[in-house]
């Protein structure tokens, strides 16, 4: 027989191994009256969110770099952490909406289920109205967007999905199994694949990208596929042209990075709207526009026909 909840092995006392619990942060929604300094910073954060409303949700790091460039926010080691604390407190106080900020979350899995048959049918009707066919059909080359930061996937997908281009987080490809499976998928598709990658300009980001590209390309060749990788961002040229915020290379990072520079730059330093434009231009320059238009026409016709059939069925 299981123990009552207050005596279970998962109780607070048991989890802390008998230690007394110290002061904790606020839980759930909680009122907050920020002091003058915090209130000023909060106003700047809200201005950034308003500036990039078309790219929401964005990450705290993206807000951080915009604050540096537009509002002279501090660049000391703890500035980013302080900003994160303020944003979390403001969200709990309902001063910033929860869905404006993108957090890297855990894996979730829910069983597919419906209240009843009518609920299922209503869902099918809604999905029929927004049916999207495979917009890569007819394209001679398959495109894939990859980004180092998982938190940036949703905003990049908002652009890429218009063209039927998937967006993947390259952070999930750190094992030989994932790289092999990705190469196998490329080979199965049959078309040449071009991966456009977005990552940090630093020793870690550069070496991770090179290892990923070389490994997947080698696996793909053996499996009968063809893939090439292009660094879409961040590049040294973009750092100069966009006047991106840079940092000194970490002393602890001894990986080769070129003696001509000790400066590094994170992908989040590129403003969200500019990054969206970089992705859009890169895709547009690599697709067959006529083939996409044919799919869009079929898609529009399929939505109409499917909606009519569902109405007739009820």
């Amino acid at each position: 027989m299981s123990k009552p909840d207050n005596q279970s092995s998962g109780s607070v006392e048991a989890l802390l191994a008998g230690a007394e619990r110290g002061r904790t942060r606020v839980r759930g929604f909680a009122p907050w009256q920020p002091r003058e300094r915090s209130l000023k910073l909060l106003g700047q954060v809200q201005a950034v969110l308003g500036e990039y409303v078309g790219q929401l949700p964005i990450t705290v790091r993206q807000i951080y770099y915009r604050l540096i460039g537009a509002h002279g926010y501090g660049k000391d080691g703890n500035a980013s952490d302080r900003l994160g604390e303020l944003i979390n407190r403001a969200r709990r106080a309902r001063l910033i909406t929860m869905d404006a900020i993108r957090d890297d979350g855990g894996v979730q899995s829910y069983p597919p289920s419906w209240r009843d048959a009518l609920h299922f049918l209503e869902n099918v009707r809604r999905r029929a109205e927004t049916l999207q066919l495979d917009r890569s059909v007819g394209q001679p080359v398959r495109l894939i967007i990859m980004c180092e930061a998982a938190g940036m996937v949703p905003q990049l997908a908002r652009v890429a999905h218009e063209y039927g281009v998937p967006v993947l987080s390259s952070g999930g490809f750190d094992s030989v199994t994932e790289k092999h499976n990705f190469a196998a998928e490329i080979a199965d598709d049959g078309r040449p694949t071009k991966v456009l990658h977005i990552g940090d300009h630093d020793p870690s980001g550069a070496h991770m990208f090179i290892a990923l590209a070389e490994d997947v390309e080698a696996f793909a060749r053996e499996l009968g596929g063809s893939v090439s990788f292009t660094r879409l961002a961040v590049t040294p040229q973009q750092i100069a042209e966009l006047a991106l915020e840079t940092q000194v290379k970490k002393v602890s990072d001894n990986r080769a990075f070129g003696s001509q520079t000790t400066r590094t730059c994170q992908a989040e330093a590129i403003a969200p709207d500019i990054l969206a434009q970089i992705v859009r231009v890169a895709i547009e320059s690599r697709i067959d526009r006529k083939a996409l238009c044919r799919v869009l026409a079929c898609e529009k016709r399929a939505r109409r026909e499917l909606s009519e059939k569902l109405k007739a069925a009820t």
Side-chain angles (χ1 to χ4, degrees):
M1 180 180 296
S2 61
K3 298 179 181 179
D5 288 343
N6 60 354
Q7 297 180 13
S8 70
S9 59
S11 66
V12 171
E13 292 79 5
L15 290 171
L16 295 180
E20 292 187 8
R21 196 178 190 192
R23 183 179 178 182
T24 63
R25 299 176 180 178
V26 296
R27 305 300 187 203
F29 290 111
W32 180 44
Q33 293 184 334
R35 296 179 180 178
E36 183 177 352
R37 182 181 177 185
S38 295
L39 190 61
K40 179 181 178 181
L41 179 56
L42 176 60
Q44 294 171 343
V45 171
Q46 291 171 328
V48 171
L49 294 175
E51 184 179 3
Y52 298 124
V53 65
Q55 286 76 43
L56 297 181
I58 59 178
T59 66
V60 173
R61 293 295 290 178
Q62 288 176 305
I63 296 173
Y64 169 65
Y65 283 111
R66 184 55 182 161
L67 289 176
I68 292 175
H71 301 282
Y73 186 63
K75 295 186 287 184
D76 61 88
N78 297 320
S80 179
D81 292 338
R82 290 198 302 271
L83 176 64
E85 289 290 337
L86 178 136
I87 290 176
N88 283 338
R89 194 66 185 85
R91 295 168 80 189
R92 290 182 181 277
R94 294 187 171 93
L95 300 176
I96 295 176
T97 59
M98 286 290 179
D99 56 5
I101 308 298
R102 171 68 185 182
D103 301 312
D104 291 341
V107 177
Q108 301 182 16
S109 178
Y110 291 88
S113 59
W114 315 94
R115 290 193 302 269
D116 50 37
L118 182 59
H119 181 211
F120 172 77
L121 188 56
E122 290 174 350
N123 182 269
V124 172
R125 287 172 181 160
R126 287 194 299 269
R127 296 190 66 179
E129 294 172 356
T130 58
L131 170 69
Q132 181 169 318
L133 301 180
D134 182 357
R135 295 179 179 179
S136 74
V137 169
Q139 297 293 335
V141 174
R142 183 190 184 204
L143 297 180
I144 294 176
I145 300 293
M146 266 195 176
C147 62
E148 188 176 332
M152 297 173 68
V153 169
Q155 60 188 270
L156 297 174
R158 189 175 293 115
V159 176
H161 285 184
E162 292 181 27
Y163 304 91
V165 175
V167 181
L168 312 177
S169 168
S170 60
F173 290 86
D174 53 358
S175 71
V176 65
T177 300
E178 290 298 325
K179 293 174 183 177
H180 171 270
N181 291 346
F182 183 43
E185 178 191 337
I186 289 169
D188 288 343
D189 184 83
R191 294 172 292 179
T193 295
K194 293 184 178 181
V195 178
L196 309 179
H197 189 272
I198 298 167
D200 299 337
H201 181 70
D202 58 18
S204 175
H207 282 265
M208 286 174 58
F209 168 71
I210 294 170
L212 171 65
E214 292 177 344
D215 222 0
V216 174
E217 287 172 356
F219 275 128
R221 282 195 300 270
E222 292 293 327
L223 297 171
S226 173
V227 59
S228 62
F229 284 71
T230 299
R231 188 56 176 258
L232 195 59
V234 178
T235 66
Q237 182 179 359
Q238 290 167 341
I239 294 174
E241 292 180 350
L242 300 175
L244 299 179
E245 188 65 33
T246 61
Q247 304 85 34
V248 177
K249 185 181 71 171
K250 293 180 180 178
V251 177
S252 58
D253 196 337
N254 296 320
R255 282 167 286 197
F257 193 56
S259 58
Q260 72 272 22
T261 178
T262 58
R263 307 297 296 184
T264 65
C265 181
Q266 295 197 348
E268 289 93 337
I270 301 178
D273 56 341
I274 294 178
L275 184 58
Q277 183 63 13
I278 290 173
V279 172
R280 187 178 299 279
V281 170
I283 294 176
E284 287 275 5
S285 66
R286 290 170 171 83
I287 64 169
D288 182 333
R289 168 56 69 172
K290 291 183 178 179
L292 176 61
C293 288
R294 286 194 294 269
V295 175
L296 292 176
C298 291
E299 184 178 278
K300 183 177 180 180
R301 185 166 57 252
R303 288 178 182 178
R304 183 178 63 252
E305 293 174 352
L306 186 56
S307 295
E308 291 174 353
K309 289 179 180 179
L310 288 171
K311 288 180 181 178
T314 57

